[in-house]
Amino acid sequence: MQNVFAASPVKETSPQINTINLTYTTALSYSNSGTTISSVWIDFLDGQGYKSLTANGTVSKTYTDSSGYKRFAIKVQYSNSTYNYCYSGQFVTVNSLGARYTPLTQFDIDNPTKIIAAVTGQHYAGKVYVRYSTKRNGTALQGKMVKPFIIVEGYDIHDIAPKLQETNYDANKLIDEWNKLQGYDFNAQLDETAGYDLVFVDYYTMDYIQNNSKMLQKVIEWVNGEKAIAGSIEQNVVMGISLGGLLARYTLAKMTKDLGTTSTQTRLLLTHDSPHQGGNVPLGFQHFLYDFGEAKIVVPLKDVSNELSQFYVLSDQPATQQLLIARVTDANGGVEYNSFLSGLYRTMITFNASDPPPSYQFKATAQGSQCSRYVMQPGTLLSYKDGNVATANFYWFAFRSKYKLTVQINALPEQGTSTQISYVKMQRNIRLFFGVIGTGWKTTYKKTRYSPSNIIPWDAVPGGTQSASGRSGGSFSNFSTVPDPTFSKHNTFFGNLWRFAVYPWFNVNSYLEVPFQQDVFTNVPLNSALDIQNATIATFNQSYIFPVNGLSGSTSAKYIAQEEFAGTVNNVSATLYNLTHTDFTKRNSQWIFSEMENITYNDCTAACSNFLTITGTEPVCSTATFSVSLPPGATVIWSIDPQSVATVNSSTGIVTKQGNGTATLTATITSCGIVTPVSRTIRVGGPAVNIAYSRSGSCNGTYQTWFLNATSPDAVTSWLWTVDNPSSGSWNIYSPNSSNTYVAVSGGGGISLTATNACGSTRNGVTIYSNCNFRAITATPNPATDNVNVALVTDKKSPSKKTEMIYQIKISDQIGNVKKEYKYVSGISNPVISLSGLMSGIY
């Protein structure tokens, strides 16, 4: 005979902060032993021993250490004097850090401070949860609305698609994130230091912003009424997270325009990585989910997957339509572009001269790289699968079908190109008579989708990121079920999309995986979070460090984007530039609090090395000042080489001319302890001149024409070509005062170019010669191993012709390789050349 005994709390997490309360409820006791419970004891394993727990009574334990699972022992005595023992536990949230917002209890969550609907009975109501500042505890203002910090939640799909997101985003998740910040206690700063009353608005996010705005306006009016009751004249701070930022901005603007400047009683609007220009889910992912639903494993997957059905419903929601930059609308490849954000939303949030001015400042945070470093390369392979995914057995395996799936998903390519972004192919192999006969693989479904050619590569540009596998809940092992198969949800963007039920006359073994090669994509582009209108590729080729670059096109009065930080990618340490959408960090939390309290924020922001450039005008004629854009708190030391050309003041960047030539100017920047050198080659004094030259045409008797082309990076005011040795042969210079000229020469020698600019003149030259009218030559002795005398054979037909000269001699081997070369600038009639050093052979 064996006995089984178990005792446990009915809830895994204690609904009270810091405390476990255990009640022995007799109605929840069950036994088939024929005996009844006479006594119960609890030992919290704290050295105090067992405490008696009477029927329907309660024992408690308060913890002050840290949050976690707290174990305790349970002892039960039965009516027959026998005993049973077991261990159990409960998770307890412990607040041991002093005055701060504590998480809501289950009772608090079930009973909001206020439920506000725009119209009674309509579903776009908002639940309002309040944590009054503990700073005023013990005063007449305890539990009163004095200094509101209104938080408006973002895009929360739990209401409409609970299978895709199992839990609701609520105030507890926000408070928990603040509590887990490393190096900065944002929670305590808001509550204990500044005394803000936290007002969290949990609303139905899937409706139109225009409808939810009516609800949010009533929430703000209720908060303002509560302030009046408390006698407070504090102005509100409103922060919208993600889509909540759009709702907050729209609502405050509408209230101001409809009711006047003072109606909002708000001094600051913060948006935290909010998609003012739209959010992004890769079009390749969206196409895949629609196309995958049309593929069949016995039946179309869309007909049997509740998760796929919820994705389709989610895609059509008003909030989704108003949020996404580009949205796939159906399995026919239809794509719809956002018109709300550039239309009604933009009209509402834009204040014209005739509108009442807003009482609040708009300031924004962005999770994208302030240095505009991309999340990935455009066109990156996001996901790939090619292999068997299921086996369907009919009538006890007499008839069997195997299924093979090929999937390839790519990020959007470079703008101006159109490439494949989604490919789905399902194949089936039917096996008859217990697998004896097979039909081979036949394609049952195939779809290829291409990117629009004019679209910006939104999947890759800098911005707040989303993890595909993290969004889906990750991966788990393959398995099979009969007759209710479950497809693996390995790294699928919207989660467990593959569960479905089929008919009882067959069973399906499924082992579907669609792994991601690139797990992270851009969810809210940098330009969207900072509300930079009319974005182009150039938008993502500049730095966004306020105030060095001013507003950089942002409509916000002030902003902060993400710096470089250490992190991990696929469990490998890496330097990251773009942070997960809506995450709070030490840096952006400090910035937010500083803006709320009008405190100067000393931001140590490492310089964007990819955008550091030295500016200044050259050539340097006497002195010139050079500069480089620095982030706040950075320092620079200047140097130059060679100093024979110029010197530089190490602190001011003033360059002083010492001679003519080029020099390397270097700015060594120190920012946040990181040293970054930036260099630029500058011209000092007269212009730099480069000369290219080539023969032009065939010989004209003894004359060879050359084309000379001079270029300079400097502004040249005059050019002058001159012959260095006019006595050596005959010269004819065409256009001597132009940068380009033709020179006809009989003979050879040097020709120079003098170029002049505002700083003076510089000179450069080349050697040219005529290779026309080659004459027979004599070489004595012949053969030879040492020195050879070379002479032209006399032209007996022209005895009066002046002596001809030799300007160049080349010695080549029998296959044409030049082994030695001699040049005579002024010409020579009887040169002596040396053959020493040449290997034996024919030359």
Side-chain angles (χ1 to χ4, degrees), residues 33-104:
S33 65
T35 60
T36 59
I37 296 176
S38 58
S39 300
V40 178
W41 296 269
I42 303 293
D43 183 355
F44 288 104
L45 308 178
D46 57 359
Q48 302 300 312
Y50 281 103
K51 295 181 179 180
S52 176
L53 179 56
T54 61
N56 299 310
T58 301
V59 294
S60 299
K61 168 66 177 178
T62 298
Y63 297 86
T64 59
D65 49 358
S66 61
S67 299
Y69 282 95
K70 310 300 180 182
R71 297 185 70 211
F72 45 84
I74 303 168
K75 174 183 175 181
V76 173
Q77 183 181 22
Y78 293 94
S79 55
N80 63 358
S81 297
T82 60
Y83 293 86
N84 273 327
Y85 301 83
C86 76
Y87 289 98
S88 189
Q90 194 173 46
F91 186 88
V92 180
T93 300
V94 177
N95 173 31
S96 59
L97 300 177
R100 56 188 15 245
Y101 307 126
T102 58
L104 280 67

Side-chain angles (χ1 to χ4, degrees), residues 803-821:
T803 303
E804 294 179 301
M805 311 295 286
I806 297 174
Y807 294 94
Q808 184 181 34
I809 296 176
K810 291 182 180 181
I811 302 174
S812 302
D813 62 18
Q814 58 184 335
I815 61 174
N817 296 318
V818 176
K819 296 299 184 178
K820 278 195 174 186
E821 182 176 4

Side-chain angles (χ1 to χ4, degrees), residues 284-298:
F285 285 163
Q286 296 185 57
H287 279 304
F288 162 72
L289 290 171
Y290 272 107
D291 292 338
F292 186 82
E294 299 296 321
K296 292 181 180 180
I297 296 182
V298 182

